[in-house]
Amino acid sequence: MSGVARNRMLLAKLSLAALGMFGFGYLLAPLYDRLCGAERATQTAAKDATRPVTRVDLARTIAVQYDANVHGSLHWSFRPLQKTSQVHPGELVHIRYEMTNDSDQPMIGQAVPSYAPPAAAAYFHKIECFCFKSQALRPHETKSMPVVFLIDPAIPGDLPTITLSYTFFEVRPRKSA
Amino acid sequence: MQVALDNVPAVAQLPQQGGILRWIRTTNHKDIGTLYLFFSISMFLVGGLMALTIRAELFQPGMQIVRPEFFNQLTSMHGLIMIFLAIMPAFVGFANWQLPLMLGAPDMAFPRLNNLSFWLLPFATVLLVASFFAPGGATAAGWTLYAPLSVQMGPGMDMAIFAIHILGISSIIGGLNIIVTILNMRAPGMTMFKMPLFAWTWLVTAALLITIMPVLAGTVTMLLFDRHFGTHFFDAAGGGDPVLFQHLFWFFGHPEVYVLILPAFGIISAVIPTFSRKPLFGLRSMVAATVGIGIVACAVWAHHMFTVGMPVAAQLFFMYTTLLVAVPTGIKMFNWLATMWQGSLTFETPMLFAMGFLFVFTIGGLTGVILAIVPVDVQLHQTYYIVAHFHYTMVASSLFGLFAGTYYWLPKWTGHMYDEKLGQWHFWLTLSFFNLTFIPMFFLGLAGMPRRIPDYALQFTNLNALATVGAFGFGFTQLLFAYIVIKCIRGGERATAQVWEGAKGLEWTVPSPAPHHTFSTPPVVE
């Protein structure tokens, strides 16, 4: 091969490599979603929805205690209508909470759940909850709202008691500038 | 006939067409090298002017000279201009001038592509600089163009994106040309291990360029699509992820800093043996280290983003790979010192800059090792410590390499010796003012001063004032450099063909100034 032809050949190969790298740049986007995105998804809500629970484990009973708190500026009363439930893992449980706006203004609150011990959170599947949305109450209005949940039968045996606690925070409408 | 031509003074061989057309149409590697170098130094002064405006604003706390938005535009454009329009073209200029001379080739492999890759630069420059006058001004998202800010900026950002596209094409064409030249155009007998280290470093650099520039082009294209065509690669509101941008950018960005330093390694590896009057110590280990740096460079990028929240395993991986870079770099440093060991040293300006390079690069490199440690980096991220670190590696090291190379080869290019006394002044002033500018920044960073902020807390005043004094001294000293170069072009003591007593290599076998056409008949290397 002559010098010029050899040069052209090498140039063509190297240009292909450059073009390949351009494509590789785009490949990195789905690759990133696959590697990092998958990990993020497992950390958040997606896990709850994916695996259906069909078996009720009658051999075990877990005590679930209910707790309610109101934070700072929100002048609401907030309480569970039952103190505890005895729950079989896998069983669908319906409970209710009651909230009252004690102030003279309409107020919006958002409930944030927490679990004790925290390890229980991964096995606590809520199907319906007032905490899914913020709640608006007119002055002195009282509402009773449901929570429907089940506990995953995969829950380890060293969690005989779980406390489900809600705290209501005030949601202020964003002030326009 | 060809041999006879080689002995005619360069001026007699100039192409017939005169004036500006000669420079626009030229396909001669020496002409294009000269164009690159002049372009580079003018952009160096433009980028420097921006740096001085930044330093003037930071001389005292409070806002004095510029508005904060404009300050952000200045820091962003200073970075883009210095990296893409000053340092990179300077090294490509050296490659153009020196590679054919060092390898015994008549020209670059593709002279017309070579012409194209230079003449793309002015267009990119116009786009980039004109973006200051676009509504909303130039890009102010930092030279890293991080999303989501870069998704939201005004049309100045689009101009920067197109400028980067053009610069990317120019760099890729340049890189392709250089690889083909090095692999295919060597004189008979010039085996890979007989060619100078400068060619080796450029081979690895060019390979990095064609690996990473397309990724940058892809990244800014995705940015452009996010901005205008409804995609959501980086826009979290549409399911994208700004962290993805950082990964893509630094996949380009980290190898890019080796693109900016490897050719300097090559220049230093030519200068130190000449003035030590000894061959380069450990050529093969130097080559291995260069290739090693090139490979590891592509697996360290996430150390720029330790604070985005990544798994510990990933942090450890990128920390260890980053620390690994210190090994080949240490080999190089050892070899340079071993080359000087028991040599017959003389200290002309190129040697001074080469030794200055060893000094500042050690500081830059070691602070890099400190920053590689995850828990330390989390503290120092986005502080002036980083600014000091990368200016030690890029300004000091790359620039000192460029200065060393310029003084070293200037007599070959112009046929005249430069003014040695002024050269020595240039070195000592540059070294002193550089350190005066950037040593305070290490302490500012350790004390917690954030970068890219036009104002700062009162306790940082003294060190900032010092840095500003240093920066102005450093900036004005470079005018002395421009003067020395112009003076050398216009006249001076005639240079011999070998120029330096200890100089070895094919480029010293042609007369000074190097004739317009050299090695039309290939030399035979023993």
Side-chain angles (χ1 to χ4, degrees):
Chain A
M1 230 180 345
S2 77
V4 176
R6 249 175 33 150
N7 289 356
R8 292 223 168 118
M9 194 66 203
L10 186 58
L11 180 75
K13 284 181 193 160
L14 290 170
S15 310
L16 271 182
L19 214 63
M21 284 312 294
F22 187 72
F24 178 70
Y26 283 95
L27 186 69
L28 282 174
L31 213 62
Y32 169 80
D33 283 344
R34 200 55 80 75
L35 290 175
C36 305
E39 189 176 330
R40 256 175 308 145
T42 54
Q43 284 163 358
T44 51
K47 204 200 231 167
D48 290 351
T50 46
R51 196 157 39 87
V53 178
T54 49
R55 185 172 56 89
V56 179
D57 186 355
L58 293 171
R60 288 166 64 194
T61 309
I62 292 170
V64 183
Q65 305 175 329
Y66 306 104
D67 178 45
N69 306 287
V70 177
H71 185 263
S73 55
L74 193 67
H75 298 295
W76 286 12
S77 315
F78 176 44
R79 62 185 184 100
L81 292 178
Q82 57 287 300
K83 287 280 178 231
T84 58
S85 317
Q86 299 298 319
V87 177
H88 298 303
E91 171 192 6
L92 208 58
V93 183
H94 298 257
I95 57 157
R96 295 192 86 79
Y97 272 78
E98 188 183 86
M99 56 219 79
T100 309
N101 184 355
D102 296 330
S103 74
D104 297 326
Q105 285 135 15
M107 292 186 101
I108 302 173
Q110 169 70 53
V112 176
S114 71
Y115 307 88
Y123 305 97
F124 214 98
H125 303 318
K126 286 199 207 87
I127 286 129
E128 173 64 72
C129 179
F130 56 86
C131 62
F132 289 171
K133 295 191 292 190
S134 54
Q135 301 294 336
L137 292 183
R138 291 191 299 276
H140 304 288
E141 183 191 6
T142 297
K143 257 190 198 169
S144 164
M145 300 287 287
V147 179
V148 181
F149 68 87
L150 55 81
I151 293 174
D152 196 320
I155 191 164
D158 60 353
L159 295 169
T161 308
I162 300 171
T163 305
L164 170 61
S165 170
Y166 286 100
T167 306
F168 252 111
F169 293 86
E170 185 183 3
V171 179
R172 283 198 190 84
R174 209 173 277 173
K175 282 187 189 114
S176 50
Chain B
M1 152 104 181
Q2 211 53 58
V3 177
L5 257 184
D6 276 358
N7 297 327
V8 179
V11 186
Q13 290 183 47
L14 288 183
Q16 290 310 302
Q17 64 204 37
I20 191 141
L21 269 186
R22 172 198 164 190
W23 295 101
I24 290 176
R25 290 181 187 166
T26 184
T27 54
N28 180 283
H29 73 100
K30 300 184 184 76
D31 282 356
I32 294 174
T34 305
L35 284 172
Y36 264 112
L37 290 171
F38 272 110
F39 174 81
S40 156
I41 189 163
S42 44
M43 293 321 289
F44 173 62
L45 296 177
V46 171
L49 202 63
M50 293 176 181
L52 290 189
T53 316
I54 292 167
R55 280 320 314 174
E57 175 59 53
L58 291 173
F59 184 58
Q60 285 186 320
M63 302 305 303
Q64 281 94 23
I65 300 174
V66 294
R67 285 168 294 115
E69 312 86 82
F70 188 61
F71 183 90
N72 290 345
Q73 295 173 25
L74 282 177
T75 52
S76 309
M77 293 294 277
H78 165 72
L80 286 170
I81 286 179
M82 284 303 201
I83 289 168
F84 289 108
L85 300 177
I87 300 182
M88 283 174 74
F91 281 128
V92 180
F94 272 88
N96 264 297
W97 250 104
Q98 288 309 125
L99 283 178
L101 283 180
M102 289 172 134
L103 301 173
D107 205 308
M108 298 293 279
F110 300 99
R112 279 180 198 283
L113 279 185
N114 204 13
N115 173 292
L116 175 67
S117 73
F118 173 77
W119 282 108
L120 284 173
L121 291 183
F123 294 96
T125 309
V126 168
L127 260 179
L128 206 54
V129 175
S131 71
F132 272 116
F133 305 101
T139 171
W143 87 276
T144 54
L145 310 174
Y146 271 9
L149 185 54
S150 52
V151 179
Q152 297 160 350
M153 305 221 77
M157 186 72 214
D158 297 316
M159 295 168 83
I161 289 174
F162 288 128
I164 288 173
H165 278 141
I166 297 174
L167 291 168
I169 293 169
S170 161
S171 296
I172 292 168
I173 296 176
L176 295 171
N177 207 345
I178 285 168
I179 295 182
V180 178
T181 305
I182 293 174
L183 292 184
N184 282 2
M185 304 281 287
R186 299 190 310 276
M190 170 82 72
T191 58
M192 289 299 271
F193 279 100
K194 275 189 192 155
M195 74 183 190
L197 200 77
F198 181 71
W200 269 107
T201 54
W202 248 114
L203 183 63
V204 175
T205 304
L208 280 178
L209 276 178
I210 63 168
T211 310
I212 60 170
M213 290 312 282
V215 175
L216 177 69
T219 308
V220 294
T221 308
M222 288 186 226
L223 192 59
L224 192 73
F225 273 62
D226 267 17
R227 290 168 57 78
H228 296 295
F229 303 112
T231 60
H232 297 97
F233 288 105
F234 311 126
D235 187 356
D241 193 339
V243 175
L244 171 63
F245 182 88
Q246 300 191 20
H247 277 290
L248 289 173
F249 181 85
W250 287 115
F251 185 86
F252 147 81
H254 196 80
E256 168 71 8
V257 304
Y258 293 106
V259 166
L260 299 175
I261 194 68
L262 283 178
F265 289 171
I267 293 172
I268 299 302
S269 304
V271 171
I272 287 184
T274 297
F275 296 97
S276 307
R277 290 160 183 81
K278 280 173 65 190
L280 184 66
F281 184 89
L283 176 70
R284 274 167 193 269
S285 64
M286 281 301 223
V287 170
T290 307
V291 177
I293 290 175
I295 294 169
V296 180
C298 294
V300 299
W301 75 88
H303 69 214
H304 292 269
M305 32 192 297
F306 277 148
T307 56
V308 299
M310 60 174 110
V312 176
Q315 291 187 331
L316 286 177
F317 172 80
F318 286 109
M319 177 172 105
Y320 291 140
T321 50
T322 307
L323 292 174
L324 200 60
V325 178
V327 176
T329 318
I331 291 174
K332 281 182 174 292
M333 198 55 87
F334 178 88
N335 286 350
W336 288 321
L337 293 176
T339 307
M340 286 163 65
W341 182 255
Q342 295 194 328
S344 312
L345 302 180
T346 48
F347 301 99
E348 287 88 344
T349 312
M351 184 60 166
L352 287 179
F353 269 107
M355 291 171 68
F357 168 92
L358 297 184
F359 169 62
V360 289
F361 186 70
T362 304
I363 297 180
L366 284 181
T367 51
V369 171
I370 292 170
L371 287 168
I373 313 286
V374 175
V376 180
D377 182 73
V378 170
Q379 293 291 315
L380 296 175
H381 190 77
Q382 287 290 6
T383 68
Y384 260 83
Y385 194 91
I386 306 279
V387 175
H389 157 70
F390 70 69
H391 280 94
Y392 263 91
T393 57
M394 280 192 273
V395 180
S397 307
S398 300
L399 195 66
F400 279 30
L402 287 166
F403 284 147
T406 307
Y407 285 112
Y408 184 54
W409 284 307
L410 201 55
K412 176 59 61 190
W413 299 341
T414 62
H416 306 125
M417 297 304 285
Y418 60 88
D419 188 328
E420 181 63 39
K421 189 175 245 171
L422 285 181
Q424 305 243 352
W425 268 102
H426 174 227
F427 169 72
W428 288 109
L429 288 174
T430 300
L431 185 74
S432 315
F433 281 126
F434 174 80
N435 284 299
L436 184 62
T437 311
F438 290 100
I439 284 181
M441 292 189 190
F442 281 122
F443 294 98
L444 285 170
L446 285 169
M449 179 169 162
R451 64 191 280 214
R452 293 172 171 158
I453 306 276
D455 191 5
Y456 51 84
L458 289 181
Q459 68 266 30
F460 301 134
T461 309
N462 290 343
L463 288 175
N464 267 300
L466 263 183
T468 298
V469 171
F472 273 82
F474 183 79
F476 286 114
T477 303
Q478 305 324 313
L479 295 179
L480 176 63
F481 172 69
Y483 172 74
I484 294 170
V485 171
I486 292 167
K487 189 176 167 200
C488 180
I489 293 170
R490 300 180 70 134
E493 189 195 327
R494 285 216 72 84
T496 61
Q498 202 194 0
V499 182
W500 310 106
E501 186 195 29
K504 298 233 159 51
L506 284 180
E507 78 261 42
W508 308 109
T509 61
V510 301
S512 304
H516 201 60
H517 296 285
T518 39
F519 298 130
S520 302
T521 343
V524 177
V525 181
E526 299 298 308

